[in-house]
């Protein structure tokens, strides 16, 4: 499945457009694993735009704001991090379903973090 990304870095005025390929399920049949891969793809795209010479990239699914919004042709996922923002899509999946999938993926990721009391 091919989808578009639009990246806006904090220190740039113009967006960067990319096209990405997801080898998993098409959006209507997405699982948590598919959504996890899409989110990681989005975060990696921001890092590549900010640090094109870097070869070592590690992705964690925490520390960002996100939203699923209706768009022409489906819905988009928007992520904002201190470096900038990225929007991916549109995806042919109901907004509420994608929102729930992202919530579950991030909750599962948070369960693996150490807790300090």
């Amino acid at each position: 499945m091919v989808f578009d990304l639009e990246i806006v870095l904090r220190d740039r005025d113009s967006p960067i457009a990319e096209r990405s390929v997801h080898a998993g399920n098409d959006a209507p049949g997405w699982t948590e694993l598919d959504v996890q891969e899409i989110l990681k793809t989005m975060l990696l795209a921001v890092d590549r735009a900010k640090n094109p010479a870097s070869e070592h990239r590690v992705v964690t699914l925490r520390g960002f704001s996100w939203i699923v919004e209706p768009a022409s042709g489906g819905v988009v996922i928007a992520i904002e991090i201190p470096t900038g923002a990225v929007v991916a899509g549109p995806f042919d999946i109901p907004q509420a379903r994608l929102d729930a999938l992202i919530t579950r993926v991030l909750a599962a990721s948070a369960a693996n973090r150490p807790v300090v009391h």
Side-chain angles (χ1 to χ4, degrees):
M1 169 184 152
V2 178
F3 64 96
D4 294 322
L5 297 162
E6 187 169 294
I7 304 145
V8 179
L9 299 175
R10 296 246 184 257
D11 59 353
R12 293 196 191 157
D13 293 331
S14 58
I16 301 163
E18 284 189 16
R19 187 155 275 180
S20 188
V21 176
H22 175 61
N25 297 312
D26 286 337
W30 275 354
T31 65
E32 285 87 356
L33 184 58
D34 292 302
V35 170
Q36 179 180 346
E37 290 303 314
I38 295 293
L39 295 174
K40 286 182 177 183
T41 296
M42 294 172 70
L43 293 168
L44 285 169
V46 174
D47 187 61
R48 275 193 313 276
K50 181 69 176 174
N51 305 299
S54 178
E55 293 183 20
H56 179 70
R57 293 181 165 87
V58 177
V59 178
T60 59
L61 295 180
R62 61 180 180 203
F64 61 89
S65 299
W66 61 275
I67 190 167
V68 176
E69 286 291 319
S72 178
V75 296
V76 295
I77 304 169
I79 292 177
E80 185 175 1
I81 60 175
T83 308
V86 57
V87 176
F91 303 111
D92 180 22
I93 184 171
Q95 182 178 1
R97 176 165 158 61
L98 182 53
D99 192 66
L101 283 165
I102 293 172
T103 299
R104 287 196 303 268
V105 166
L106 296 180
S109 177
N112 296 326
R113 288 189 254 165
V115 177
V116 178
H117 293 280

